[in-house]
Amino acid sequence: MKKKTGIKALSTALAFSLCVAGLTGCSSGTQGAKENPAQKTDAAASGESLEPVTLKLWSCSDKYKDQDEVLAKFCETYKDQLNIEKIEFNYVPFGDYEDKMTSLAAGGDDFDGMFVADWMLYNKMSNKGGLLPLNDLMQQYAPSLYQAYQENGSTTACSIDGQLVALPWTKKKSSKAVLLYRRDLAEKYGVDTSKLETIEDLDAMLGDAKEKVPDITIFESGFPRGNTYSDVLVILHSKYEMDNMNYHTLTFDLNSEKPVLQAVEETPMFKEAVTWMNKWYNEGIVSKNELSETDTKLFENGKTFAKVGLYEDAMEGVSFNVPDAELGYAELYPNGKYRYDSPLNNAFAINKNAAHPDRLLMLLELLNTNEEAYDLFMYGIEGKTYVKGEDGSIKFPEGQDAANSTFLGWFCWPFVRAQYDKPSGKITPEALKAENAWLEKDSLVVSPLVGFNPDTSSIKTELAQRDQLYDEQGKLLLAGIVENNDIDGAISKYIESQKNAGLEKILSFMQEEADKAGKQQ
């Protein structure tokens, strides 16, 4: 596969900038800003006392046992700088998170901040004007963080109309699919895992496992974990070298001179994904109940033989909840071109109706300038939630690991600062070194439409219909559920439904916006 010199150069530049700077920033819709309490907190600079406040934050995932204690200690330790009485961190399961947050925002709730990502909530909130524009506020309350955003070159990925509205991490990352499997079961039952580089290799291995491994579902395609579409399609993005945009199921060829957007259902890649999933559905390799499964940790709980994860999962290991389980992994299409994740892959945003946006920005500024504050917020209390290793790493205290940790490993990705980040928990120095080396692969590239998120208010009806049709029909196909096993007929019917719902209008508008974005690069 011939690599484009321009894309490779852009990849190198972004990689350097992400490693050098602090947290990245992004920006979204400028609508909906209101006069805010931030105006009254010039006291931070003048030395006047700050009014005590409670910050109300939301995220997905699960709450850790010692989180309230750690955050209380943080508030007490930095009372003079921040005067935050309490950080109230609320959690919602992944599958319910978007509905919960859009409902709160629509109701005018004055919570302060929320987790967002290009794969979770950001597009919905930004296009509905639910995020607070931050340019002026950041210059006032988080100047070093704002400067880092300017220097690391990542604001373009997160900007709409030049306004910063979200606060993403700086960690370099790619969500390219890596197959994870139960090595202990493969060895016990003689499943051949010696060759796993293509989808055909995967099919052979899964079929072998189906014949030999008893009392277990062989493959989980991602839907039980709340993924947008099946992991088989994610695997095939590397084979076809198509951009996995995470954006209304659109895609484009990464090898094109310029991005030409396509509906994913109109690509050969989609048909191949449906074909494999339908085969595995009929053979009992995947569960007949994938779309209704509520256990988001099937693999960890010993209920599935294989699933798709990330390279970091392979290096850091999986916390199994069954005895003697061992992890095996393989990278399919190891030389297939795939995108680096956008800076928006993990971010935090401020609600447009936030009660205390000033204080939240002051907190983030402190995390960007004070390593001791960062360590307390991210890793907890030394001797209780972590201990320091001789190599400088942050380790679980005695009696704890990733499965029963009381704080270390909490869902804090958006707050990662490159300058203070340390090997911690499952991330050993060796794992971190391996991950960083893997991220320098020539086949990992920066998407020319990184952070693509235009104002889609003029096609909001068509996009809503497209997304609804995908949820009602597209997911069924990608789960392998095909009426009469007529794959061509089912896909044609789905394409026709999308066309009738305004696909041509969507593609025309999006292509115009993509062309504009390309000229701005």
Side-chain angles (χ1 to χ4, degrees):
M1 297 166 210
K2 186 177 180 181
K3 304 293 183 293
K4 295 279 191 296
T5 303
I7 291 178
K8 177 61 179 172
L10 182 58
S11 172
T12 303
L14 183 65
F16 176 76
S17 66
L18 288 177
C19 290
V20 167
L23 201 62
T24 51
C26 42
S27 115
S28 182
T30 58
Q31 304 301 314
K34 65 173 186 176
E35 188 174 349
N36 216 292
Q39 306 293 328
K40 63 185 180 184
T41 340
D42 292 325
S46 66
E48 299 174 16
S49 62
L50 294 168
E51 175 187 357
V53 301
T54 294
L55 291 183
K56 297 180 180 180
L57 311 178
W58 287 85
S59 187
C60 36
S61 191
D62 301 311
K63 187 172 183 176
Y64 278 58
K65 178 177 177 291
D66 286 338
Q67 185 167 316
D68 287 341
E69 180 180 350
V70 170
L71 295 180
K73 182 174 178 62
F74 180 89
C75 292
E76 178 184 357
T77 303
Y78 297 99
K79 180 178 176 64
D80 290 345
Q81 291 97 317
L82 302 173
N83 205 7
I84 297 172
E85 284 191 312
K86 182 180 181 181
I87 299 175
E88 183 182 292
F89 230 119
N90 305 285
Y91 287 88
V92 180
F94 278 90
D96 302 325
Y97 185 65
E98 289 200 348
D99 288 342
K100 175 67 176 180
M101 298 316 299
T102 52
S103 176
L104 285 176
D109 193 288
D110 67 351
F111 70 91
D112 296 294
M114 69 198 116
F115 171 78
V116 296
D118 54 5
W119 52 272
M120 176 72 80
L121 190 62
Y122 175 77
N123 291 332
K124 288 184 179 180
M125 293 297 291
S126 60
N127 283 326
K128 291 180 179 180
L131 306 180
L132 185 66
L134 297 175
N135 284 14
D136 293 340
L137 289 174
M138 287 209 67
Q139 292 179 68
Q140 185 174 3
Y141 297 108
S144 78
L145 189 56
Y146 187 71
Q147 182 178 355
Y149 297 163
Q150 308 308 306
E151 292 176 351
N152 66 21
S154 56
T155 52
T156 301
C158 319
S159 296
I160 294 179
D161 299 330
Q163 268 295 332
L164 191 69
V165 294
L167 309 157
W169 66 351
T170 59
K171 189 175 175 67
K172 188 179 179 184
K173 179 174 177 289
S174 175
S175 293
K176 184 180 181 183
V178 173
L179 181 72
L180 308 178
Y181 63 88
R182 288 281 300 277
R183 185 176 63 190
D184 58 303
L185 295 180
E187 292 176 353
K188 179 178 179 179
Y189 294 103
V191 178
D192 185 4
T193 60
S194 61
K195 185 185 178 187
L196 284 169
E197 291 190 358
T198 68
I199 194 76
E200 288 79 13
D201 295 338
L202 175 61
D203 175 55
M205 188 273 281
L206 295 179
D208 192 25
K210 176 63 178 174
E211 291 182 4
K212 295 175 179 177
V213 183
D215 305 322
I216 195 171
T217 299
I218 300 303
F219 185 67
E220 171 206 334
S221 75
F223 289 123
R225 285 172 274 128
N227 288 8
T228 303
Y229 47 46
S230 91
D231 286 336
V232 177
L233 191 53
V234 179
I235 291 170
L236 291 174
H237 274 286
S238 296
K239 174 181 178 179
Y240 286 84
E241 299 193 330
M242 304 287 285
D243 193 300
N244 185 5
M245 294 179 65
N246 290 309
Y247 194 73
H248 301 290
T249 56
L250 301 178
T251 187
F252 62 89
D253 186 348
L254 283 169
N255 295 303
S256 297
E257 290 297 328
K258 73 169 190 174
V260 178
L261 298 183
Q262 295 177 264
V264 71
E265 66 271 13
E266 294 187 319
T267 66
M269 175 176 67
F270 184 85
K271 180 179 178 180
E272 183 170 357
V274 173
T275 301
W276 287 116
M277 282 299 294
N278 178 245
K279 177 180 186 291
W280 297 336
Y281 180 90
N282 291 331
E283 293 174 352
I285 287 173
V286 297
S287 170
K288 297 290 196 292
N289 301 312
E290 276 238 332
L291 293 176
S292 59
E293 178 59 63
T294 58
D295 186 348
T296 61
K297 295 185 177 181
L298 292 171
F299 186 65
E300 293 86 340
N301 291 334
K303 298 178 181 178
T304 53
F305 176 77
K307 73 167 187 176
V308 165
L310 305 178
Y311 189 81
E312 61 199 54
D313 298 322
M315 293 299 99
E316 297 166 18
V318 168
S319 299
F320 288 107
N321 298 318
V322 290
D324 302 321
E326 296 180 7
L327 180 67
Y329 75 93
E331 181 183 356
L332 278 68
Y333 299 102
N335 297 316
K337 189 177 291 185
Y338 198 86
R339 67 181 292 164
Y340 284 112
D341 290 347
S342 163
L344 267 173
N345 190 247
N346 289 292
F348 214 70
I350 298 181
N351 177 19
K352 73 172 183 180
N353 295 313
H356 309 293
D358 53 331
R359 213 65 62 88
L360 179 52
L361 287 173
M362 290 168 64
L363 166 63
L364 295 171
E365 176 76 353
L366 182 66
L367 296 180
N368 194 59
T369 56
N370 187 316
E371 187 169 5
E372 290 184 359
Y374 179 85
D375 287 352
L376 176 56
F377 190 85
M378 297 293 283
Y379 309 125
I381 303 169
E382 185 175 0
K384 180 175 177 63
T385 65
Y386 76 92
V387 294
K388 287 185 178 179
E390 293 182 359
D391 56 6
S393 62
I394 304 293
K395 297 180 177 294
F396 293 109
E398 186 176 355
Q400 292 187 30
D401 55 25
N404 65 0
S405 172
T406 61
F407 184 76
L408 194 59
W410 72 296
F411 194 81
C412 57
W413 300 342
F415 305 108
V416 170
R417 303 293 196 274
Q419 69 269 35
Y420 301 141
D421 196 27
K422 302 169 180 66
S424 63
K426 295 192 301 179
I427 310 173
T428 65
E430 294 76 18
L432 190 59
K433 182 178 180 180
E435 291 172 30
N436 289 337
W438 181 80
L439 286 165
E440 298 306 317
K441 287 163 59 85
D442 287 344
S443 57
L444 296 178
V445 300
V446 175
S447 169
L449 290 184
V450 62
F452 182 66
N453 188 39
D455 179 359
T456 55
S457 55
S458 64
I459 56 167
K460 63 181 181 180
T461 300
E462 289 80 9
L463 284 177
Q465 291 174 337
R466 174 167 177 77
D467 293 344
Q468 182 176 349
L469 281 169
Y470 174 75
D471 286 338
E472 295 174 351
Q473 299 180 28
K475 279 187 177 180
L476 286 175
L477 297 177
L478 288 169
I481 304 171
V482 180
E483 186 175 0
N484 298 322
N485 296 317
D486 180 6
I487 293 170
D488 287 337
I491 293 177
S492 295
K493 181 179 178 180
Y494 176 52
I495 291 173
E496 189 64 26
S497 296
Q498 288 288 9
K499 287 181 176 179
N500 291 337
L503 176 59
E504 183 177 347
K505 183 177 180 180
I506 291 171
L507 288 176
S508 175
F509 173 86
M510 291 294 192
Q511 189 61 54
E512 288 183 9
E513 294 299 312
D515 292 343
K516 292 178 187 176
K519 291 178 181 179
Q520 294 172 2
Q521 294 291 334

